[in-house]
Amino acid sequence: MAKRVRDILSMFVLAIFSKVIGTKLYSRRSAPAEPESEANVCLSWRLAVEANNMPGWSTVPLHCLSHVETYMMGGQYEQDVNYIVEQIESYVSQVVLKGDGCDGCDAWILDIDDTCISNLFYYKDKNYGCDPFDPGDFVAWVMKGECPAIPAILGLFTKLVEGGFKVFLLTGRDQQTLAPATIANLHNQGFIGYHRVIFRNQSFKGKSAVAFKSEVRKQLVEEGYRIWGNVGDQWTDLQGECLGNRTFKIPNPMYCVP
Amino acid sequence: MAKRVRDILSMFVLAIFSKVIGTKLYSRRSAPAEPESEANVCLSWRLAVEANNMPGWSTVPLHCLSHVETYMMGGQYEQDVNYIVEQIESYVSQVVLKGDGCDGCDAWILDIDDTCISNLFYYKDKNYGCDPFDPGDFVAWVMKGECPAIPAILGLFTKLVEGGFKVFLLTGRDQQTLAPATIANLHNQGFIGYHRVIFRNQSFKGKSAVAFKSEVRKQLVEEGYRIWGNVGDQWTDLQGECLGNRTFKIPNPMYCVP
């Protein structure tokens, strides 16, 4: 009887593993395609978002809610961010700061929301981005100043500051209403030693993210800064003018800033 | 006893499912991170490639061979391409061709290798891109003229041609040596009705892919063409000048054209 139980167990274990993990490993052109599962479709959706094939997408498709939840909370998001930060740090280690008399002209730009600090726990209550954006709710969340640091980016930030780069935190958050809470939040999460936090002020109201951030970067370059790198979770952080020597896209499948 | 067997089975099934699928679904910051599995690391690598965080990467990491094989052969690659083509066709359906006396100035640009026709069966024998690029072998493969069409792109191509767009196929393949085999291959796969195939000729030898393709697109714009869209599997297809109104990145985790 013990053997029979063992056999049944083995069969179940194999059946489940082959279903979940290896189903299509050895399929070839001749094999008929499996019906599209929701996971497959949502993988395709997320890839399209991250490869910038869907600029200006509005909300997460409802059928991808659990896919995005699993991605964000299940470890893969964190793993993906860590991997990109490894690439960034590898690049940083090759940068030779110019000793040309320009004291501290070597700059980096980091976006704030979902680059330095995370809104994951806000979006968790918004069905991971399936719900439409609610500006009032988001402001209330920001005012709490409780966004946690994204650990790998905090590590990168610290290395950049200690390595002699001037780090600019560049955000679309409104200066007039959100600056104090944002700065308090950055400090309580360990983002200390940056060169400047640049908010969207009155003069940029109504301008697109690309126009606003391009203009700011252009001003920095005119001030004499060399932008070695530029990190953001939105493609609109990484488009336009004076992008910097390298750009890095942090994943974000929960919302899109057009 | 039967109940006991049922209980043990249930327990195993649940244990395996929670291990394989949902382990970290409800994990929070306080939970220790799981050790990184190879699948996770290769997912991160592939995302970094597709989001252009690793420009100029050389070969597929050996530990990602089976990941890339599964991705390319198991259905997800095909699904991802199909999804992007759906996005492209949705965009195409919104384009209103100008009736402004310019007869046929509305253009699209499609790359050839792994955009229109596939080198998957070549790369299958090169460990899916884990082996270093072998120019001689690749030329021999191209000369056979046996690259299969990528079905969704062939469908898009046909719709573009029938819709009145002038379709330009723009490739880094060498004109002098590879043009006849390439054209024969395109024809035997159904790519008929394009406006022009543009190869890399003598004057572009030694130039980077971005410089070559930018220069060609610039010439087309100077000839009066409006580039509505530009589709490629390489980021270097989609960077530089005169990119077109929209660009679309087809996945390719097997090689990188710097």
Side-chain angles (χ1 to χ4, degrees):
Chain A
M1 187 63 192
K3 186 180 178 303
R4 194 155 166 235
V5 171
R6 219 166 43 234
D7 287 347
I8 294 171
L9 280 175
S10 304
M11 198 184 68
F12 258 72
V13 170
L14 275 172
I16 289 162
F17 260 99
S18 72
K19 183 74 193 160
V20 174
I21 292 178
T23 322
K24 300 187 77 181
L25 185 59
Y26 296 104
S27 69
R28 288 295 182 271
R29 271 196 302 171
S30 54
E34 276 199 352
E36 295 170 11
S37 74
E38 271 186 12
N40 287 353
V41 172
C42 296
L43 277 171
S44 297
W45 172 80
R46 189 158 57 76
L47 185 70
V49 162
E50 293 301 339
N52 198 26
N53 284 324
M54 299 175 67
W57 62 275
S58 57
T59 51
V60 175
L62 199 55
H63 62 270
C64 293
L65 193 158
S66 75
H67 171 85
V68 173
E69 178 178 39
T70 305
Y71 174 69
M72 292 303 297
M73 305 300 265
Q76 191 62 43
Y77 164 75
E78 192 182 350
Q79 167 72 38
D80 289 350
V81 174
N82 292 352
Y83 191 87
I84 295 163
V85 171
E86 280 171 30
Q87 307 307 311
I88 301 175
E89 292 184 349
S90 161
Y91 163 66
V92 170
S93 71
Q94 294 159 31
V95 171
V96 180
L97 298 193
K98 308 255 172 150
D100 57 0
C102 157
D103 182 24
C105 286
D106 297 290
W108 269 77
I109 295 178
L110 308 181
D111 169 58
I112 291 183
D113 281 296
D114 295 294
T115 300
C116 289
I117 53 179
S118 173
N119 294 304
L120 175 54
F121 294 107
Y122 172 79
Y123 278 94
K124 180 173 168 286
D125 288 337
K126 299 293 179 187
N127 283 315
Y128 293 92
C130 289
D131 297 353
F133 182 64
D134 182 326
D137 270 13
F138 187 70
V139 164
W141 158 259
V142 167
M143 293 304 280
K144 288 187 194 172
E146 291 176 1
C147 301
I150 295 180
I153 302 282
L154 178 57
L156 168 69
F157 170 87
T158 307
K159 280 183 188 163
L160 289 172
V161 171
E162 289 175 353
F165 292 96
K166 301 292 186 198
V167 179
F168 292 85
L169 306 182
L170 176 52
T171 177
R173 288 189 179 189
D174 178 57
Q175 178 152 33
Q176 208 174 4
T177 52
L178 304 178
T182 302
I183 288 169
N185 196 161
L186 288 165
H187 290 188
N188 72 34
Q189 292 302 305
F191 288 90
I192 293 164
Y194 52 76
H195 196 57
R196 219 183 282 170
V197 187
I198 303 171
F199 293 89
R200 184 191 280 268
N201 64 24
Q202 284 299 105
S203 67
F204 290 114
K205 271 211 165 160
K207 284 201 177 178
S208 71
V210 170
F212 157 56
K213 293 201 166 182
S214 285
E215 186 58 34
V216 170
R217 290 190 302 261
K218 212 170 145 190
Q219 284 172 16
L220 294 180
V221 169
E222 283 167 5
E223 286 178 42
Y225 290 101
R226 274 184 293 269
I227 304 174
W228 285 99
N230 178 8
V231 186
D233 66 302
Q234 299 290 323
W235 276 102
T236 46
D237 296 331
L238 311 175
Q239 293 172 322
E241 291 181 77
C242 302
L243 290 173
N245 192 47
R246 282 283 299 270
T247 62
F248 297 94
K249 170 74 174 72
I250 301 295
N252 185 348
M254 299 188 301
Y255 64 89
C256 172
V257 177
Chain B
M1 187 63 193
K3 186 178 178 304
R4 196 157 161 233
V5 172
R6 218 166 44 234
D7 287 348
I8 294 172
L9 279 174
S10 303
M11 198 185 67
F12 257 71
V13 170
L14 274 173
I16 290 162
F17 259 101
S18 72
K19 183 75 192 158
V20 174
I21 292 178
T23 322
K24 300 188 74 181
L25 187 59
Y26 296 104
S27 69
R28 287 298 181 272
R29 274 192 298 165
S30 55
E34 276 199 353
E36 297 168 11
S37 75
E38 270 186 11
N40 286 353
V41 172
C42 297
L43 277 172
S44 296
W45 171 80
R46 190 157 57 77
L47 185 71
V49 161
E50 293 302 340
N52 199 27
N53 284 323
M54 299 175 67
W57 61 276
S58 56
T59 51
V60 175
L62 199 55
H63 61 270
C64 292
L65 194 159
S66 76
H67 172 84
V68 172
E69 177 179 39
T70 305
Y71 174 69
M72 293 302 299
M73 305 299 266
Q76 191 62 45
Y77 163 74
E78 191 181 351
Q79 167 72 37
D80 289 350
V81 173
N82 293 350
Y83 191 88
I84 295 163
V85 170
E86 279 172 29
Q87 306 307 311
I88 301 175
E89 292 184 350
S90 161
Y91 163 65
V92 170
S93 71
Q94 295 159 31
V95 171
V96 180
L97 298 193
K98 308 257 170 145
D100 57 1
C102 158
D103 181 23
C105 286
D106 297 291
W108 270 77
I109 294 177
L110 307 181
D111 168 57
I112 292 183
D113 281 295
D114 294 293
T115 300
C116 290
I117 53 179
S118 174
N119 295 303
L120 176 54
F121 293 106
Y122 172 78
Y123 278 94
K124 180 172 169 286
D125 289 337
K126 299 291 179 187
N127 281 318
Y128 293 94
C130 290
D131 297 353
F133 182 63
D134 182 327
D137 270 14
F138 187 70
V139 164
W141 158 258
V142 167
M143 293 305 280
K144 288 188 195 171
E146 290 177 2
C147 301
I150 294 180
I153 300 283
L154 179 58
L156 168 69
F157 170 87
T158 307
K159 280 183 188 162
L160 289 173
V161 170
E162 288 175 354
F165 292 95
K166 300 293 184 199
V167 179
F168 292 84
L169 305 182
L170 175 53
T171 178
R173 287 188 180 190
D174 178 57
Q175 179 153 32
Q176 206 174 2
T177 52
L178 303 178
T182 302
I183 288 169
N185 196 161
L186 288 165
H187 290 189
N188 72 35
Q189 291 301 305
F191 288 90
I192 293 164
Y194 52 77
H195 196 56
R196 219 183 285 170
V197 187
I198 303 171
F199 293 88
R200 184 192 281 266
N201 63 24
Q202 283 300 104
S203 66
F204 290 114
K205 270 211 166 159
K207 285 201 176 179
S208 72
V210 171
F212 157 57
K213 293 201 167 182
S214 284
E215 186 57 35
V216 170
R217 290 191 303 262
K218 213 171 145 192
Q219 285 172 13
L220 293 179
V221 169
E222 283 167 5
E223 286 177 42
Y225 290 100
R226 273 184 294 271
I227 303 173
W228 285 100
N230 178 8
V231 186
D233 66 303
Q234 298 291 322
W235 275 102
T236 46
D237 295 331
L238 312 174
Q239 292 172 323
E241 293 180 78
C242 301
L243 290 173
N245 192 47
R246 283 283 299 271
T247 62
F248 297 93
K249 170 73 175 73
I250 302 295
N252 185 347
M254 299 188 299
Y255 64 90
C256 172
V257 178

